[in-house]
Amino acid sequence: MSAAKDLVIGLAGLGTVGSGLVQLLKSNASEIEQRTGKKIIVKYVAVRDVNKKRDLPEGAKLIDNPLLMIEDPEVQVIVELIGGTNLAGTLIRKALENGKSVVTANKALLAEKGEELFTLAEENNLFLAYEASVAGAIPVVQTIKDSLAGNKIHNIFGILNGTSNYILSEMSANGTQFDEALKRAQELGFAEADPTLDIDGFDAAHKLKLLVRLAWGVHYPYDKVSIQGIRNMSAMDIAFAQSLGYTIKLLGQAEYKNNEIEAGVSPVLIPAKAILSRVDGAFNAIHINGNAVGPLFLHGLGAGSLPTASAVLGDIMSIMKNIYDTTGYVTKKFPLAPIANIDNSVSPWYLRLMVHDTVGVLRDVAGIFAKQSISIAQVIQKKQQEDGVPLVFMTHETTVKAMKNALAEIKATNILNAEPVAFRVLELA
Ligand code: HSE
């Protein structure tokens, strides 16, 4: 039985993060009490299979229907760690309708269907806390919402998915094949239950959407985020990038410029000497530029059991201390973001073409670039390989539209042996 002052929670999900939370509640119990003056009592743990042997918090009741916790008036906070959008969505909505605050790590749900839930929490004066949803252990939600509240944010960019960062790091450092690196990330517990969310860039886009929401107080619909993942990343491009002095990273990037916001996730070449290039494995890192704070860099474990559970526990404790603020804004319903047309976005590009080694190929490509006003910075042509000759270009700054047009024209010429590969380049200090 709990003392009146203790916090009673119901935990839904005992996977990687849920079991990390149970472990932390046990190992750090005295710190929790020392810092909040209360204990955290886990009254229910909801799992899919109640017959499986588990390490449960003392006195917790194992149930298979998480919605049952909602009906218990003693439960004050629901911790949603089951993932997915259907049952988790119903659970959070019903919890908020029934006067219970929520802590969640569910970025897919919040990014795709979160507006209604955030509004519901605000209207009912409840907390909907989600630090663990974005970049695992890194306290970026709290940082943007509270610590940087006095800033106009110019841009945010970074590595937001540990699985794809792990895969790219392994491919770059050890020449590991894509599938093998993904398998290892799954074994280590970084990957989503459906790893396409990681490798196709969707997980990073979910997190980016939430960061945009926090940074600019707007609803940037998730389906408006431009997304390109790393599923087809080739060792050849990683090696070419390295020989040119760059590292390939999957970046989420958002910028507020000319009263518009541009947000996208894609593989990007960044200088090998930039600090972001040295963020390896399951680590995430986020650059934030604000008009007062200047450049800020946050780095830490973006996935994994205890790191993510650390963020969940921090949220539970903020709620215990009654200091959590769900949105960081007065507005209950966020206005639609002014969305920039990505076609107008400007950057240098890396382009690799597999071509037939015949007279005039280079002239044809250069002619198409000239027609689109794309200026070439460097060209590399390597020896014949199985599927043609790799022809690599680094361009000066050009728009997405010009590059799209150039690619369409190059494809139409019949000089290609394979799909072209084009990545943007981000010049960083
Ligand atoms: N699958 C995610 C990642 C887990 O790899 O970053 C943390 O959100």
Side-chain angles (χ1 to χ4, degrees):
M1 197 61 198
S2 64
K5 63 178 185 137
D6 293 336
L7 184 88
V8 179
I9 68 169
L11 169 61
L14 207 53
T16 305
V17 184
S19 42
L21 179 65
V22 169
Q23 194 181 326
L24 278 188
L25 288 173
K26 205 178 278 181
S27 64
N28 298 358
S30 63
E31 285 76 11
I32 294 168
E33 198 168 352
Q34 189 185 28
R35 288 166 190 166
T36 62
K38 301 176 190 181
K39 288 193 178 78
I40 298 174
I41 310 292
V42 185
K43 189 163 180 187
Y44 300 96
V45 175
V47 293
R48 226 175 304 174
D49 179 4
V50 286
N51 296 317
K52 208 162 132 188
K53 200 169 155 30
R54 324 225 175 214
D55 191 9
L56 289 180
E58 208 184 304
K61 190 170 167 199
L62 202 57
I63 55 173
D64 62 4
N65 179 3
L67 299 173
L68 293 177
M69 308 189 288
I70 310 291
E71 279 148 35
D72 185 336
E74 210 193 4
V75 173
Q76 294 157 278
V77 174
I78 299 291
V79 180
E80 184 279 305
L81 300 175
I82 49 181
T85 52
N86 293 333
L87 178 57
T90 307
L91 176 66
I92 294 180
R93 187 167 36 77
K94 284 190 183 293
L96 294 170
E97 283 168 354
N98 282 279
K100 299 178 197 312
S101 286
V102 173
V103 176
T104 180
N106 197 329
K107 55 256 156 163
L109 174 67
L110 293 182
E112 292 177 29
K113 302 180 182 168
E115 293 311 305
E116 175 217 348
L117 301 174
F118 284 119
T119 307
L120 196 57
E122 288 283 300
E123 285 173 352
N124 291 328
N125 289 319
L126 292 162
F127 306 111
L128 172 54
Y130 58 102
E131 185 65 75
S133 307
V134 187
I138 301 177
V140 64
V141 170
Q142 194 86 347
T143 300
I144 298 179
K145 189 162 59 63
D146 298 320
S147 312
L148 302 183
N151 282 259
K152 284 183 204 292
I153 308 274
H154 299 309
N155 61 38
I156 300 179
F157 59 91
I159 295 168
L160 300 174
N161 181 265
T163 300
S164 46
N165 198 49
Y166 180 86
I167 292 172
L168 293 176
S169 302
E170 287 291 302
M171 288 178 80
S172 302
N174 307 320
T176 313
Q177 294 298 323
F178 182 92
D179 290 343
E180 194 189 325
L182 170 60
K183 193 162 162 272
R184 182 95 184 99
Q186 287 176 293
E187 284 163 5
L188 290 168
F190 310 148
E192 296 301 306
D194 170 6
T196 57
L197 290 172
D198 297 301
I199 61 181
D200 290 328
F202 303 129
D203 177 75
H206 287 143
K207 295 165 182 167
L208 187 67
K209 183 247 142 85
L210 293 172
L211 292 178
V212 167
R213 190 176 193 282
L214 281 170
W216 294 294
V218 290
H219 167 46
Y220 194 110
Y222 167 70
D223 58 9
K224 298 283 187 230
V225 179
S226 84
I227 308 174
Q228 181 190 354
I230 61 158
R231 180 185 290 275
N232 299 318
M233 184 58 65
S234 126
M236 197 193 318
D237 294 306
I238 290 179
F240 275 129
Q242 282 171 336
S243 72
L244 289 159
Y246 292 89
T247 307
I248 300 181
K249 292 287 188 190
L250 184 73
L251 291 194
Q253 301 183 75
E255 185 171 21
Y256 187 94
K257 211 164 110 189
N258 303 328
N259 297 320
E260 288 184 326
I261 300 170
E262 178 189 324
V265 171
S266 62
V268 174
L269 270 73
I270 53 177
K273 63 178 182 339
I275 190 163
L276 209 49
S277 278
R278 298 199 291 271
V279 175
D280 282 328
F283 279 87
N284 283 190
I286 303 163
H287 277 274
I288 305 171
N289 284 291
N291 70 337
V293 72
L296 191 69
F297 183 75
L298 304 173
H299 176 246
L301 281 164
S305 180
L306 290 184
T308 312
S310 157
V312 172
L313 182 53
D315 276 350
I316 299 173
M317 290 169 69
S318 293
I319 292 175
M320 287 166 90
K321 292 188 275 185
N322 224 10
I323 57 167
Y324 197 86
D325 164 13
T326 287
T327 64
Y329 290 84
V330 175
T331 318
K332 287 192 170 43
K333 200 168 164 41
F334 281 17
L336 199 64
I339 297 172
N341 182 351
I342 197 138
D343 277 356
N344 300 330
S345 183
V346 170
S347 67
W349 284 79
Y350 163 95
L351 178 67
R352 174 177 57 84
L353 309 174
M354 295 305 284
V355 297
H356 314 295
D357 191 4
T358 51
V359 174
V361 166
L362 195 54
R363 179 205 56 203
D364 289 350
V365 177
I368 291 169
F369 278 166
K371 193 171 145 207
Q372 295 298 334
S373 302
I374 297 174
S375 170
I376 298 168
Q378 292 186 64
V379 186
I380 305 173
Q381 181 175 331
K382 288 281 182 190
K383 281 201 300 242
Q384 176 80 32
Q385 303 196 359
E386 220 171 84
D387 49 354
V389 176
L391 197 50
V392 174
F393 296 88
M394 294 291 279
T395 77
H396 289 294
E397 288 202 328
T398 188
T399 60
V400 170
K401 188 165 189 358
M403 185 50 75
K404 273 189 196 164
N405 289 343
L407 285 172
E409 286 197 43
I410 291 168
K411 280 189 188 182
T413 57
N414 248 343
I415 59 172
L416 296 181
N417 278 351
E419 272 296 298
V421 172
F423 299 137
R424 296 177 73 170
V425 179
L426 183 64
E427 293 296 357
L428 289 169

